Amino acid sequence: KRAYFYACLIEVNGYEFIYVFGGKNRNGSLNSVEKYDIRYNKWSKGASMPTPCYAHCGSFLDNIIYISGGYAHGQFIPVMLSYNPIVDSWQQLASMNSPRGWHTMCVANNRLYVFGGCLLSQQQQQQQQGQQQQQQNLLNSNSLIFPQEVTQAVVTSEFYS
């Protein structure tokens, strides 16, 4: 079981796959990538993310999956990564201007856009760590926690939020 991950459905060479990136489980942050082949009803592992994190987001553009931000090593991070599902490899890109988590990213007019998110002060991070312990207790009780988040879609160049 995992929570706070990014998942997407993509088409590669005419076949659909679901990819799941990172997240958190009762043991901590994850850097795993899992791929579900819809044709064969089978899960397989992909190349691990460079950093275990959760509260990140992603989007798909030009056959590349982009992952941004998240929470890792006790702080929000400004990371921007690209994952090529065809060759199963990661590339570190230029970081965002500010670290963030719990944000959203979408594609419009062939460009990536990142919206919102959270960047906590040191005091707020300490408060959050107390909340994370409560969440960990819930994860240990086999209950998953899903944050309230913005949901968006781009359909025929129209942005819906």
Side-chain angles (χ1 to χ4, degrees):
K1 292 185 178 184
R2 68 170 68 188
Y4 310 131
F5 55 88
Y6 171 69
C8 62
L9 171 69
I10 66 169
E11 185 177 306
V12 177
N13 298 324
Y15 299 104
E16 290 183 329
F17 299 91
I18 296 173
Y19 279 84
V20 179
F21 297 88
K24 181 178 181 177
N25 66 16
R26 67 182 66 175
N27 298 319
S29 297
L30 303 170
N31 68 343
S32 59
V33 173
E34 296 180 51
K35 171 182 163 182
Y36 178 69
D37 188 326
I38 295 172
R39 273 180 309 170
Y40 298 113
N41 188 30
K42 182 180 176 185
W43 285 96
S44 60
K45 292 191 182 271
S48 294
M49 296 173 62
T51 301
C53 69
Y54 63 95
H56 53 291
C57 71
S59 204
F60 182 69
L61 174 64
D62 295 331
N63 297 316
I64 301 293
I65 300 168
Y66 293 88
I67 303 291
S68 68
Y71 196 80
H73 310 296
Q75 62 186 358
F76 287 103
I77 56 176
V79 69
M80 178 67 81
L81 303 168
S82 67
Y83 174 77
N84 184 327
I86 295 170
V87 296
D88 189 34
S89 67
W90 287 94
Q91 181 178 355
Q92 179 104 21
L93 305 174
S95 293
M96 295 185 293
N97 291 333
S98 62
R100 65 181 72 205
W102 308 119
H103 55 296
T104 190
M105 180 167 48
C106 69
V107 175
N109 295 324
N110 225 20
R111 296 181 69 164
L112 292 169
Y113 293 89
V114 175
F115 299 96
C118 181
L119 172 60
L120 302 179
S121 68
Q122 188 75 4
Q123 180 183 9
Q124 291 169 320
Q125 286 186 21
Q126 289 171 351
Q127 290 172 347
Q128 185 189 44
Q129 288 172 351
Q131 292 171 350
Q132 287 174 345
Q133 184 58 50
Q134 291 172 346
Q135 292 171 354
Q136 189 67 39
N137 293 342
L138 286 173
L139 282 172
N140 288 338
S141 70
N142 294 325
S143 299
L144 288 181
I145 303 160
F146 296 95
Q148 292 180 337
E149 58 185 50
V150 175
T151 303
Q152 87 277 316
V154 176
V155 180
T156 63
S157 299
E158 298 292 325
F159 180 74
Y160 301 91
S161 177

